[in-house]
Amino acid sequence: MLIRPKKGVSIRDRIAKWDTDPVFSVLLKLNPKFSDRVTAIAGDCALPDLGISVEDRKLLVNEVQIVLHCAATVRFDEPLHVALDINTRGTLLVVQLAKEMRRLETFVHVSTAFSNCVIHHINEAYYPDNLTCSSDKVLKLREILSNDLIDNMSPAFLKDFPNTYTFTKALAEQVVQKEASGLPACIFRPGLILATFKDPIPGWTDNLYGPISLLHGGVYGVLRVMLVDKKARAHIVPVDYCANMVLSTAWKTAVENVQKKENVSLKDPPIYNYADSDQNPVKWLNFSKAVEDRRFDYPLEKMIWYPFLHTTIKRIYVLIRPKNGVSISERIVAWDTDPVFSVLLKLNPKFSDRVTAIAGDCGLPDLGISVEDRKLLVTEVQIVLHCAATVRFDEPLHVALDINTRGTLLVVQLAKEMRRLETFVHVSTAFSNCVIHHINEAYYPEKLACTFDKILELREMLSNDLIDNIAPAFLKDFPNTYTFTKALAEQVVQKEASGLPACIFRPAMIFVTLKEPITGWTDNLYGPISILYGYVLGVLHVTLLDKNARAHIVPVDYCANMVLSTAWNTAVENVYRKKNSSTKFLLKDPTIYNYATSDKNPIKWLNFSNAVDAQRLVYPLEQMIWYPFLKIYNKLCDFELAILFYHILPGYVIDMVLRLKGQKPRMIRIYNKYHKNMKDLALFAITNWTFSMNNSDHLLECMTSEDRKLFECDMNSVNWDEYFGVALFGMREYLAKEKPTEESFISARKTLKRFHTYHRIVQAAACGTVVASICLSALAALLLLCCCWCCCFAPYAAGAELADKLRDDSELSQFYSLLEQNPVANATLALRSCTIFVPTNEAFQRHNGTTHVLYHITTAAFSQNQLKTSVSSDMEGNPPLYITNGRNGDIYVNNARIIPSLSVELTNREGKRQVMHIIDEVLEPLTAKSSTTDMNNMDAMKFMRHADQLNLGNNGLRTYRSQVTLMKKESLYESPGFHTFLVPVDEGFKLSTRSSLVDAKVIDGHVIPNTVIFTAASQHDEPKTSAAFEDQLKVTVSFFRQKDGKMYVKSNTISGDAKHPQGVVLAEIVKANIPIRNGVVHLIHRPLMIIDTTVTQFLQENTENGALRKFYEVIMDAGGAVLDGINSLSEVTILAPSNEAWNISSIDNIVRDRKRMTDILNMHIIKDRLNVEKIRQKNANMIAQVPTVNNRTFLYFNVKGEGSDAVVTVEGGGVNATVLQADVAQTNGYVHIIDRVLGVPHTTVLGKLSTDPMMSDTYKMGEFSHFNDQLNNTQRRYTFFVPRDKGWQKTELDYPSAHKKLFMRDFYYHSKNLLERHLVIADHVYTMKDLAQMSLTTDSVVLPTLRDSLKVKVEEEAGRYVILWNYKKINVYRPDVECTNGIIHVIDYPLMEEKDIVVSGG
């Protein structure tokens, strides 16, 4: 055992203490003299050569078989030079000693599971990339530099490592990897080591490291606060388990050493991670709860305080203003008599002594706070709860802006000055963004007509009356000033409080207390409370509600608890942010907490009305003025008609009675106020909203069970029937001020019974009156109905509705039938501004899946020129619709084109502007296989994570997603904005090595940033800059459609590097146009940028419905010779005809001729790596001539234009083809996709002459001389010797005068005569091979021409043909250009002499 003196205790004394150490007690009983078998070796890992003497070293080298290296300094704050000496250099010295040991069988280095804590998932692998410098270099610097200097350089070395311990342990692992690779060695990585579990005695420990210090401090009563994420895994391991595991790894390594001697090689020492398992995990929540539960079982005698976390509030500052003539001090004093404070007064009668009133008003400049009070707040306050607001829906805009928006800005500005601020909570409303139906915990600045700063600037400039008069322009689709100014206030918090520990709390409709501090308490008549109170009072009998809509009622005490909980959570997150400077803990925007009824415990207005119906008879009011009954209507027109009979007529009767009794009439005034309020509330009463509450749910999960009891706020726990009973009971006591005594209830029930009798009598009388009226005066009844119609329905009958337009258009009938069945869509059409994108019936015929009506609707009106980059749809979660401009200025919504001439704009009966756009395709949102899948905020990364749960067919994305995670590129796919993501499916990774080639740059190449591209709107082959576009590497991406309709995407690595070669990679889009929150996803059949297949493999990939399927089929039908020839070439370029190129009748017969087909296929193969740039270099003389594998057959390339506008043509065997897709790179060459099959003529001699750029001069000469007229005759066979343009240019040098005349129309006769010499007409054509054979047997070959005959001799020189004519040697530049009615030989010089052009004098 290597041991050193410690804290003044010698080695001998340290060993002697073992006899009294409890951990050795069991061993001492078994063997009292066990220490006799232990030899102490004096040494120290921090000293050179471990501080071991020469004699001891010899002893160890000769004797030791097993080495367990456990020595280390575990202090997190150890100076770097000390940690390096012990943990890193000490390990190196131990390994060097082990190398000398002659009998060594196993070596175990004990590291830590957190040696690579800079990453979150740690494999049993080495991570040298996480280190800033290798272990040998760091140790070399340690020797060179002083202790102080090396310590000062710690941050540069540590980088992302949190302390010197983990850093030096990571270096030590690298030492073992490099230095111990030839030894029987391994590394053991334990988690957080805690006390023993079983052996040798339970619960033993002798230090206060790690979790043990937290445990001890907690039960000792010293530790009050612990910084942990309760949901995080604790990774605690018992020390006795670790000891057993170390011995087990030593045994395993020794066994493997025996195998190694039998030639089983071990590359690196294996690593054994040791932490809590997935099958039996432990979280900090379990740890803290277990300690909490057991603290009373095993209390300490020496504890200095009760072991419990307790928080004390020093002082509460309340911003308060005089109200309704009551001063601030009087308002505070009134708390002593307010029932809501009764419980608190019993617990602490002097609680108000700890409350300081700050005189102020949110509607005043600087909140109306004095300078002294402001200094006090800035110095003292740690927690800000901003709850002040005006909640009146009809508040003038200037007042609502002053209080709700500017007031929030002023509070935020004050909070920024507070030196001790720990948390800031802004209380908003769940309906601040009520212009959409599904509200996420997110900001919606796009729903505002103007930003808050501009509106507040206008507020300062304009008068109150003017700002109020222009309110409709600001509000847009917001139903009232309250929701609008609260939405602005949220934007204030988002922009101004982004650097603060801030959050936003959005409660729904706040109702009476459920439990705390007293049940059923309320002190106002806002929202649903006014309906409930008016109902049980017998005043209100008609209301406007959709019984099937969610009620979203929340108890006020639950809201208060939730506000405090969000404040706590925000403070905790702020601590994380301060402790960790990495971007993970930076809070971009203040967190939002939606708080409404949950999906697990929903409440509808139907349940609300049923529960109140049942409870109204249990808790009746003594003050009721009529029997309580309530009629519910969900349409505004029905409501208008009902109030006439149930409210207005009875109201006038009651007011008349009051006047007769000498009292002031009041009922009509009450009803008018109520009716106005109900109309203001109409949208909220009949619209069904849903809310995502992920943040709120997560907050509840973070709270302990004790916290959840103390701060009860779980909406799943509310019993709604009991709650509404509590509400009626509390309303009776706190609003009606009726004491809950037996006498009071008896009196109220008598009143209820009496009014019930009156109610029945009136009902009977009304029925009799109606019958009599019908019988006696039908005309009067008719007039009454007309009056009712005019008063109640006339406002709704004016103008055509958008629904009417849809119904009347037979081409839109399918969408209209779906629209009729959707109640949310109907409500939107009736009450709100909206834009509807309506697919035609023809679009539905092409559509196979489910149609989501609300995905075609957005709750704002947009004409074509008002459509922005994206708009939110009305579908649940409000997934975006993307607006793009396509070819010819067309506007697209997602992949559907808006038919411009058919758009309609109307105003509905509520005066709301509505727009209808007709589109040519049904819009398809991203949908899940199960309704339980969370579809909210589905960005590209979340899309890939949940791919298995989405409707993506059989397309898996696991391989690519794993690479994105491995390369730490999640942020690229999570980035907000509008991007195009190209995601390869698992099928594209069949090649086992392909996934390893997907590095960070390749992943960048699959993203087109800041551009959304849907296939229908994409520009054909227009390159877009990818995220992999920088100085060294430049990659573009483009889309193109084949003639068969298939969509492809291609990457073009314009400028590459060693890992990313230049070239084009094609990928078919297997599932296109998947809209997500931050753009659009296209699934592709293979990854881009990666060039890992040969030309042959690329062709084989196209065997099933690929772009080159037919080309590969023809190659295989022709036999194996062609494919073998391709495989034999180390460098090859293929000109591959597209599938459409084979669809010509002239090919059918040739395909059957295997020999002819083989020659034609070989014409498409070049023995060279030939990309466009290389062709361009060969093209210096206008035409690039390139040999093929077909003997003496050449291809002729021509390149026009630059960059992406370049057009490449190739001529071979008489066929001029255009390159559709160039530079498709492979490991051994290139593939160029062309639009025609070379060697299969498809045009006449004239057609070829007119299109070939090499023969343009001959064509022009033949045109004005009328020579060309005959060349289209398919009944003849022509052999045409055509001088290329360069040849005519040579004649200009040789015979300048004659050349000039040849191209003048006045001398067309000479031009025609000369051309006739070049044209041979016979019953067959003469190939160059034919002419060369004929020349072998005669001095000259005589060929029949239009004018006499042509005598030539053809020879072969250096693989090329040469024509001998009139003692001239003329090269054949392009032999055997086949046409449907002949053959062309392109020659270097015309068959011409100067005497051919003779002009007589005049």
Side-chain angles (χ1 to χ4, degrees):
M1 175 177 287
L2 186 69
I3 191 168
R4 63 184 173 89
K6 187 176 181 182
K7 296 180 180 179
V9 183
S10 68
I11 295 172
R12 184 184 299 274
D13 291 340
R14 289 186 70 184
I15 292 179
K17 282 186 177 182
W18 291 358
D19 293 340
T20 57
D21 194 323
V23 77
F24 292 103
S25 58
V26 176
L27 184 57
L28 280 165
K29 289 178 182 177
L30 294 173
N31 185 359
K33 296 183 178 182
F34 79 89
S35 58
D36 295 345
R37 301 178 67 180
V38 178
T39 300
I41 302 294
D44 189 335
C45 287
L47 297 177
D49 293 328
L50 301 173
I52 302 174
S53 68
V54 175
E55 294 74 15
D56 286 343
R57 192 176 187 93
K58 286 181 181 178
L59 176 66
L60 296 175
V61 166
N62 291 325
E63 295 293 326
V64 172
Q65 293 171 282
I66 300 170
V67 176
L68 307 179
H69 176 45
C70 312
T73 172
V74 295
R75 284 181 53 189
F76 284 5
D77 59 348
E78 194 77 82
L80 181 58
H81 77 275
V82 177
L84 281 172
D85 288 348
I86 298 173
N87 294 349
T88 310
R89 189 181 64 185
T91 300
L92 176 62
L93 294 173
V94 173
V95 171
Q96 290 173 346
L97 175 61
K99 284 182 175 180
E100 299 176 32
M101 293 175 177
R102 299 168 185 172
R103 302 174 62 197
L104 185 71
E105 292 185 12
T106 184
F107 175 101
V108 180
H109 168 69
V110 179
S111 183
T112 168
F114 302 97
S115 56
N116 296 283
C117 59
V118 293
I119 56 177
H120 289 166
H121 180 79
I122 301 170
N123 293 315
E124 291 175 317
Y126 295 91
Y127 293 94
D129 294 342
N130 294 332
L131 296 167
T132 52
C133 198
S134 63
S135 58
D136 51 349
K137 291 181 180 177
V138 174
L139 290 177
K140 192 170 184 180
L141 286 170
R142 168 69 189 101
E143 299 298 326
I144 297 171
L145 304 177
S146 67
N147 293 346
D148 290 341
L149 187 53
I150 202 81
D151 292 343
N152 291 335
M153 293 174 64
S154 292
F157 284 122
L158 267 59
K159 199 178 175 186
D160 295 325
F161 283 89
N163 49 58
T164 57
Y165 170 66
T166 54
F167 173 65
T168 53
K169 293 298 278 184
L171 285 173
E173 287 190 2
Q174 193 181 53
V175 167
V176 175
Q177 181 189 14
K178 291 185 176 180
E179 300 295 328
S181 59
L183 296 177
C186 72
I187 294 175
F188 175 63
R189 290 181 182 160
L192 299 175
I193 299 177
L194 207 62
T196 57
F197 181 37
K198 295 178 181 179
D199 294 326
I201 51 175
W204 175 85
T205 186
D206 68 347
N207 63 65
L208 288 175
Y209 294 130
I212 297 173
S213 64
L214 304 178
L215 194 58
H216 183 261
V219 297
Y220 198 52
V222 176
L223 206 61
R224 326 298 294 146
V225 179
M226 185 166 65
L227 179 61
V228 293
D229 180 353
K230 291 183 179 180
K231 294 183 70 179
R233 292 269 283 271
H235 296 303
I236 293 170
V237 290
V239 64
D240 50 331
Y241 277 43
C242 286
N244 291 335
M245 192 65 182
V246 166
L247 297 176
S248 301
T249 58
W251 164 79
K252 183 78 161 47
T253 304
V255 171
E256 289 179 344
N257 185 41
V258 174
Q259 295 174 341
K260 181 180 178 183
K261 290 176 181 178
E262 295 172 2
N263 296 324
V264 178
S265 114
L266 300 175
K267 294 181 180 177
D268 287 328
I271 295 172
Y272 298 92
N273 286 348
Y274 193 61
D276 65 313
S277 67
D278 292 336
Q279 290 77 26
N280 187 26
V282 59
K283 296 184 179 180
W284 287 112
L285 175 63
N286 311 120
F287 176 85
S288 61
K289 190 176 186 304
V291 172
E292 204 172 284
D293 293 343
R294 293 299 185 100
R295 69 183 190 268
F296 300 116
D297 298 339
Y298 308 107
L300 297 182
E301 285 187 65
K302 298 179 181 180
M303 76 171 70
I304 64 171
W305 197 254
Y306 177 69
F308 185 73
L309 181 64
H310 185 69
T311 303
T312 301
I313 296 174
K314 179 181 175 183
R315 181 153 296 279
I316 297 174
Y317 297 94
V318 179
L319 186 68
I320 194 169
R321 63 184 173 89
K323 186 177 181 182
N324 298 331
V326 182
S327 67
I328 294 172
S329 59
E330 289 173 332
R331 291 187 69 185
I332 298 288
V333 169
W335 291 357
D336 293 340
T337 57
D338 194 321
V340 78
F341 292 101
S342 58
V343 176
L344 184 57
L345 280 165
K346 289 178 183 177
L347 293 172
N348 184 0
K350 296 184 178 180
F351 80 89
S352 58
D353 293 345
R354 300 176 73 177
V355 177
T356 299
I358 302 294
D361 189 335
C362 286
L364 297 177
D366 292 329
L367 301 172
I369 301 174
S370 67
V371 176
E372 293 75 16
D373 285 344
R374 191 175 188 93
K375 287 181 180 177
L376 177 66
L377 297 176
V378 167
T379 306
E380 295 292 325
V381 171
Q382 293 170 281
I383 300 170
V384 177
L385 308 178
H386 175 46
C387 313
T390 172
V391 296
R392 286 179 54 190
F393 283 7
D394 60 348
E395 193 76 81
L397 181 58
H398 76 276
V399 177
L401 280 172
D402 288 348
I403 298 173
N404 293 350
T405 309
R406 189 181 63 185
T408 300
L409 177 62
L410 295 173
V411 173
V412 171
Q413 290 172 345
L414 174 61
K416 285 182 175 179
E417 300 176 32
M418 292 174 176
R419 301 165 189 170
R420 303 173 63 198
L421 185 71
E422 292 185 14
T423 184
F424 175 101
V425 181
H426 168 69
V427 179
S428 183
T429 168
F431 301 99
S432 57
N433 297 285
C434 61
V435 292
I436 55 179
H437 288 164
H438 179 83
I439 300 170
N440 292 314
E441 290 171 315
Y443 296 91
Y444 294 94
E446 70 275 7
K447 299 301 178 184
L448 295 168
C450 200
T451 58
F452 79 90
D453 49 349
K454 292 181 180 177
I455 290 180
L456 290 181
E457 188 177 349
L458 285 171
R459 169 70 189 101
E460 298 299 323
M461 295 166 54
L462 305 178
S463 66
N464 294 345
D465 290 341
L466 186 53
I467 203 82
D468 292 342
N469 289 337
I470 61 175
F474 286 127
L475 265 59
K476 205 176 172 185
D477 293 321
F478 284 88
N480 50 59
T481 57
Y482 170 66
T483 54
F484 173 66
T485 53
K486 291 300 278 184
L488 285 173
E490 288 191 2
Q491 193 182 49
V492 168
V493 177
Q494 181 190 13
K495 296 284 180 70
E496 298 296 324
S498 58
L500 296 178
C503 71
I504 293 175
F505 174 61
R506 288 181 182 159
M509 299 180 188
I510 298 177
F511 211 48
V512 302
T513 59
L514 176 58
K515 295 179 180 179
E516 298 180 304
I518 49 177
T519 58
W521 175 86
T522 186
D523 67 348
N524 63 65
L525 287 172
Y526 294 128
I529 297 173
S530 63
I531 300 173
L532 193 58
Y533 187 64
Y535 170 37
V536 296
L537 196 60
V539 175
L540 304 182
H541 304 296
V542 178
T543 191
L544 183 63
L545 290 173
D546 180 356
K547 289 183 179 181
N548 293 316
R550 291 270 281 269
H552 291 302
I553 292 169
V554 289
V556 64
D557 51 331
Y558 275 41
C559 288
N561 288 334
M562 193 66 180
V563 166
L564 296 176
S565 301
T566 59
W568 163 76
N569 197 47
T570 303
V572 170
E573 288 179 346
N574 185 42
V575 172
Y576 273 109
R577 184 174 63 168
K578 289 179 178 178
K579 290 287 184 183
N580 195 315
S581 61
S582 68
T583 55
K584 181 182 175 182
F585 293 99
L586 290 176
L587 302 177
K588 295 179 181 178
D589 288 327
T591 306
I592 294 173
Y593 298 90
N594 285 347
Y595 192 61
T597 56
S598 68
D599 292 335
K600 296 178 182 177
N601 188 25
I603 176 73
K604 295 183 178 181
W605 288 116
L606 176 63
N607 310 118
F608 174 86
S609 63
N610 290 343
V612 174
D613 273 345
Q615 298 289 342
R616 67 186 168 150
L617 305 178
V618 180
Y619 304 112
L621 296 183
E622 289 185 82
Q623 305 168 43
M624 75 175 71
I625 66 170
W626 195 255
Y627 179 74
F629 68 92
L630 192 66
K631 301 289 184 181
I632 297 176
Y633 298 93
N634 63 0
K635 292 184 179 178
L636 193 58
C637 54
D638 296 341
F639 173 74
E640 292 276 3
L641 183 60
I643 61 175
L644 176 65
F645 295 103
Y646 287 104
H647 287 172
I648 296 174
L649 293 178
Y652 277 119
V653 172
I654 294 171
D655 279 352
M656 189 182 301
V657 172
L658 290 173
R659 287 178 186 275
L660 292 173
K661 293 172 69 175
Q663 297 178 12
K664 189 174 180 180
R666 62 179 183 273
M667 288 307 297
I668 291 299
R669 178 172 53 84
I670 291 172
Y671 279 132
N672 285 339
K673 185 176 181 180
Y674 168 70
H675 297 156
K676 181 183 182 302
N677 288 339
M678 279 310 302
K679 288 179 182 177
D680 290 339
L681 286 166
L683 181 65
F684 300 90
I686 64 175
T687 303
N688 193 21
W689 276 280
T690 56
F691 300 89
S692 67
M693 295 188 287
N694 296 332
N695 292 336
S696 296
D697 292 342
H698 177 69
L699 174 56
L700 286 171
E701 290 172 4
C702 292
M703 296 166 67
T704 64
S705 57
E706 191 168 298
D707 287 340
R708 285 198 289 271
K709 290 177 184 176
L710 191 60
F711 299 96
E712 191 165 359
C713 51
D714 187 357
M715 290 298 297
N716 293 326
S717 65
V718 177
N719 183 312
W720 293 110
D721 290 335
E722 291 180 8
Y723 181 45
F724 292 126
V726 166
L728 283 171
F729 182 86
M731 201 174 296
R732 189 179 191 278
E733 182 175 358
Y734 303 117
L735 285 180
K737 307 299 182 185
E738 296 181 3
K739 294 182 179 180
T741 61
E742 186 64 28
E743 294 80 5
S744 174
F745 282 119
I746 291 171
S747 174
R749 289 185 185 117
K750 286 181 180 179
T751 304
L752 179 68
K753 189 174 182 180
R754 184 172 69 252
F755 278 125
H756 185 245
T757 303
Y758 295 161
H759 179 64
R760 294 302 184 195
I761 292 171
V762 171
Q763 280 184 320
C767 290
T769 303
V770 170
V771 172
S773 297
I774 292 173
C775 296
L776 297 174
S777 185
L779 181 60
L782 183 60
L783 290 173
L784 180 61
L785 286 172
C786 292
C787 290
C788 291
W789 172 262
C790 293
C791 295
C792 303
F793 296 100
Y796 303 96
E801 290 272 325
L802 207 55
D804 299 334
K805 285 281 185 184
L806 275 168
R807 183 191 61 227
D808 297 339
D809 194 330
S810 60
E811 293 298 319
L812 310 176
S813 59
Q814 286 189 252
F815 185 78
Y816 177 71
S817 65
L818 295 171
L819 189 73
E820 274 189 311
Q821 301 167 28
N822 192 297
V824 176
N826 284 320
T828 300
L829 281 174
L831 296 170
R832 307 177 74 169
S833 292
C834 64
T835 302
I836 305 184
F837 300 97
V838 183
T840 62
N841 290 349
E842 185 180 347
F844 275 100
Q845 291 174 5
R846 296 192 300 270
H847 180 64
N848 296 322
T850 304
T851 303
H852 299 268
V853 173
L854 295 182
Y855 191 58
H856 293 71
I857 301 175
T858 179
T859 53
F862 298 107
S863 61
Q864 289 185 38
N865 57 3
Q866 291 173 326
L867 286 169
K868 303 175 184 177
T869 308
S870 74
V871 294
S872 296
S873 72
D874 211 20
M875 186 177 167
E876 182 175 352
N878 303 112
L881 298 169
Y882 292 101
I883 311 300
T884 54
N885 291 316
R887 299 177 293 275
N888 307 320
D890 289 333
I891 299 174
Y892 287 79
V893 52
N894 286 8
N895 203 51
R897 183 177 69 90
I898 295 176
I899 303 171
S901 60
L902 301 180
S903 295
V904 176
E905 184 173 332
L906 295 170
T907 301
N908 72 356
R909 291 164 182 161
E910 289 296 311
K912 300 294 185 180
R913 178 169 167 255
Q914 298 180 332
V915 179
M916 176 172 69
H917 298 296
I918 312 303
I919 54 178
D920 66 355
E921 190 171 305
V922 177
L923 300 178
E924 295 187 52
L926 175 62
T927 57
K929 297 174 182 176
S930 168
S931 59
T932 59
T933 303
D934 179 17
M935 297 295 292
N936 295 322
N937 295 318
M938 185 68 73
D939 58 32
M941 195 63 225
K942 187 176 179 182
F943 166 83
M944 289 194 289
R945 290 192 185 110
H946 292 77
D948 294 341
Q949 304 167 33
L950 304 176
N951 290 315
L952 302 178
N954 297 321
N955 299 307
L957 309 179
R958 292 185 180 182
T959 307
Y960 186 72
R961 181 186 67 220
S962 298
Q963 290 303 115
V964 171
T965 303
L966 184 64
M967 295 296 135
K968 300 179 181 178
K969 298 297 289 184
E970 295 99 325
S971 59
L972 177 65
Y973 285 80
E974 292 167 348
S975 60
F978 309 102
H979 317 294
T980 301
F981 302 95
L982 305 162
V983 180
V985 297
D986 290 343
E987 187 74 12
F989 292 93
K990 285 182 177 179
L991 290 177
S992 58
T993 58
R994 182 169 285 177
S995 62
S996 63
L997 300 176
V998 179
D999 60 14
K1001 297 301 182 185
V1002 171
I1003 292 169
D1004 288 343
H1006 285 76
V1007 179
I1008 304 173
N1010 305 315
T1011 304
V1012 173
I1013 301 175
F1014 285 83
T1015 55
S1018 63
Q1019 302 290 335
H1020 181 76
D1021 211 13
E1022 179 184 11
K1024 297 288 184 181
T1025 301
S1026 74
F1029 203 91
E1030 51 196 36
D1031 292 339
Q1032 302 300 321
L1033 182 66
K1034 291 181 169 60
V1035 181
T1036 62
V1037 177
S1038 57
F1039 291 74
F1040 64 95
R1041 187 186 298 274
Q1042 293 278 57
K1043 289 184 179 179
D1044 61 3
K1046 288 184 180 178
M1047 283 298 302
Y1048 287 80
V1049 64
K1050 74 172 184 182
S1051 65
N1052 186 7
T1053 306
I1054 302 168
S1055 175
D1057 54 30
K1059 289 186 177 180
H1060 312 97
Q1062 288 183 330
V1064 168
V1065 174
L1066 297 182
E1068 183 183 348
I1069 299 177
V1070 295
K1071 187 170 181 61
N1073 309 316
I1074 305 170
I1076 53 173
R1077 181 181 61 80
N1078 57 344
V1080 63
V1081 172
H1082 303 283
L1083 303 186
I1084 55 179
H1085 91 282
R1086 57 150 295 158
L1088 303 173
M1089 285 180 64
I1090 294 176
I1091 300 169
D1092 62 346
T1093 56
T1094 64
V1095 168
T1096 301
Q1097 288 171 327
F1098 173 75
L1099 294 175
Q1100 289 169 342
E1101 280 185 357
N1102 284 271
T1103 54
E1104 294 183 12
N1105 300 318
L1108 303 177
R1109 173 179 55 83
K1110 290 188 177 179
F1111 179 56
Y1112 185 74
E1113 287 175 358
V1114 172
I1115 289 176
M1116 299 309 293
D1117 289 344
V1122 176
L1123 203 59
D1124 291 342
I1126 295 173
N1127 291 333
S1128 67
L1129 300 174
S1130 58
E1131 293 186 336
V1132 61
T1133 299
I1134 302 289
L1135 296 159
S1138 66
N1139 291 337
E1140 292 73 25
W1142 298 91
N1143 295 335
I1144 55 174
S1145 57
S1146 56
I1147 292 182
D1148 294 340
N1149 293 327
I1150 299 175
V1151 169
R1152 297 188 188 98
D1153 186 343
R1154 179 171 290 188
K1155 184 179 182 304
R1156 174 81 187 279
M1157 199 67 242
T1158 300
D1159 290 340
I1160 289 173
L1161 290 172
N1162 285 333
M1163 192 183 296
H1164 294 77
I1165 305 170
I1166 300 169
K1167 294 185 287 186
D1168 191 7
R1169 295 176 68 94
L1170 200 64
N1171 60 9
V1172 171
E1173 187 56 37
K1174 198 167 182 180
I1175 294 170
R1176 194 187 298 278
Q1177 293 169 5
K1178 288 177 173 286
N1179 202 39
N1181 295 323
M1182 294 301 291
I1183 301 294
Q1185 180 175 296
V1186 180
T1188 70
V1189 296
N1190 199 355
N1191 192 27
R1192 287 194 302 270
T1193 302
F1194 291 85
L1195 301 180
Y1196 304 89
F1197 289 91
N1198 190 22
V1199 183
K1200 292 183 178 179
E1202 298 289 334
S1204 60
D1205 296 327
V1207 177
V1208 183
T1209 57
V1210 57
E1211 196 276 336
V1215 176
N1216 200 352
T1218 301
V1219 176
L1220 300 175
Q1221 183 55 64
D1223 295 347
V1224 183
Q1226 311 303 324
T1227 55
N1228 61 336
Y1230 290 95
V1231 174
H1232 305 287
I1233 301 175
I1234 57 178
D1235 66 346
R1236 294 193 181 279
V1237 181
L1238 303 178
V1240 180
H1242 61 91
T1243 184
T1244 62
V1245 170
L1246 178 59
K1248 183 61 182 172
L1249 199 66
S1250 63
T1251 56
D1252 196 307
M1254 192 181 290
M1255 299 181 257
S1256 58
D1257 283 351
T1258 303
Y1259 174 73
K1260 290 174 186 175
M1261 188 185 301
E1263 278 297 288
F1264 71 73
S1265 66
H1266 302 290
F1267 171 81
N1268 291 345
D1269 296 347
Q1270 61 191 313
L1271 300 180
N1272 236 5
N1273 189 342
T1274 58
Q1275 303 303 313
R1276 292 188 172 188
R1277 291 292 175 264
Y1278 300 106
T1279 302
F1280 195 4
F1281 298 92
V1282 178
R1284 66 179 181 134
D1285 291 353
K1286 287 282 186 180
W1288 292 113
Q1289 291 170 18
K1290 289 177 185 177
T1291 63
E1292 186 176 9
L1293 298 174
D1294 296 340
Y1295 315 115
S1297 176
H1299 176 272
K1300 183 178 180 181
K1301 293 181 178 65
L1302 282 173
F1303 289 91
M1304 295 174 64
R1305 290 185 180 274
D1306 292 341
F1307 300 94
Y1308 74 90
Y1309 178 79
H1310 299 285
S1311 303
K1312 186 175 182 180
N1313 285 344
L1314 181 60
L1315 290 176
E1316 285 176 346
R1317 177 184 296 162
H1318 293 75
L1319 184 65
V1320 176
I1321 303 175
D1323 56 0
H1324 64 279
V1325 299
Y1326 294 93
T1327 66
M1328 274 294 149
K1329 186 177 181 181
D1330 294 337
L1331 295 173
Q1333 289 289 335
M1334 294 167 66
S1335 298
L1336 293 175
T1337 58
T1338 181
D1339 291 337
S1340 61
V1341 177
V1342 180
L1343 301 173
T1345 65
L1346 274 175
R1347 186 171 295 278
D1348 301 327
S1349 59
L1350 174 65
K1351 295 180 180 181
V1352 295
K1353 186 177 179 69
V1354 176
E1355 296 178 350
E1356 286 188 69
E1357 292 183 1
R1360 289 182 174 272
Y1361 293 107
V1362 177
I1363 296 175
L1364 303 177
W1365 175 78
N1366 279 7
Y1367 308 104
K1368 289 183 178 181
K1369 187 180 287 188
I1370 301 173
N1371 291 322
V1372 179
Y1373 189 76
R1374 285 165 58 190
D1376 303 333
V1377 178
E1378 294 187 58
C1379 304
T1380 55
N1381 61 342
I1383 195 168
I1384 293 175
H1385 304 298
V1386 182
I1387 56 179
D1388 257 347
Y1389 199 86
L1391 307 174
M1392 167 187 167
E1393 294 180 335
E1394 187 175 15
K1395 64 181 181 180
D1396 290 329
I1397 309 298
V1398 179
V1399 181
S1400 58

